[in-house]
Amino acid sequence: MKYHTVVRSLCLCAMLVSAPAWAQVSVRIILAPPPPQYEVAPPMAPGHVWAPGYWAWNVDRHVWIRGRTIVQRDGYRWEPDRWEQRNESYYRRPGRWERDASYRVVKEKKPKKPKHWNNGGDHDNKPGRGPQHER
């Protein structure tokens, strides 16, 4: 019973030590991606933006990933996925949000609430007034 506990602990330690190495895996590809495919962006709902499609690498070839609608982040712009050439290799740079230097916060003025229930309205509609109450 103790032997299994020791083996499990050693396996767990090995996985924890090697986890950071998995996060830093980089794939070197020497085959250039095809030109981007043309996509028509659908009408956007308010607060959404279009993330265009891109070529991804799948084991031994490039595959097209279709564009999609994503939720807008105020103060940021979407930088789409792209491939960069370094020497004789190609590396995919995933899409991400970039801070938009030209973004300015615009505060909307709230309409003022009326002070009275009939502010600026027709005073003849008050109870006790109007043509039906005249003699």
Side-chain angles (χ1 to χ4, degrees), residues 9-112:
S9 298
L10 289 174
C11 289
L12 180 62
C13 288
M15 286 190 320
L16 291 175
V17 169
S18 63
W22 291 341
Q24 297 174 3
V25 171
S26 177
V27 178
R28 180 176 171 230
I29 300 169
I30 57 173
L31 181 63
Q37 293 183 3
Y38 178 75
E39 294 179 312
V40 177
M44 294 292 123
H48 289 79
V49 295
W50 179 250
Y54 60 93
W55 289 103
W57 184 255
N58 185 13
V59 182
D60 61 346
R61 64 188 174 97
H62 287 93
V63 292
W64 181 252
I65 305 297
R66 293 186 315 173
R68 65 206 180 279
T69 305
I70 55 177
V71 178
Q72 171 68 43
R73 288 183 62 189
D74 289 339
Y76 292 83
R77 63 179 170 74
W78 179 251
E79 183 68 29
D81 296 65
R82 68 172 184 260
W83 286 88
E84 295 177 346
Q85 184 176 5
R86 299 181 206 150
N87 299 324
E88 295 176 7
S89 302
Y90 294 89
Y91 298 88
R92 186 174 78 83
R93 188 170 185 181
R96 66 195 180 286
W97 290 104
E98 290 279 332
R99 220 175 246 294
D100 189 359
S102 63
Y103 179 78
R104 300 288 180 254
V105 177
V106 177
K107 291 187 179 181
E108 293 183 25
K109 293 184 179 180
K110 294 182 181 178
K112 293 184 179 181

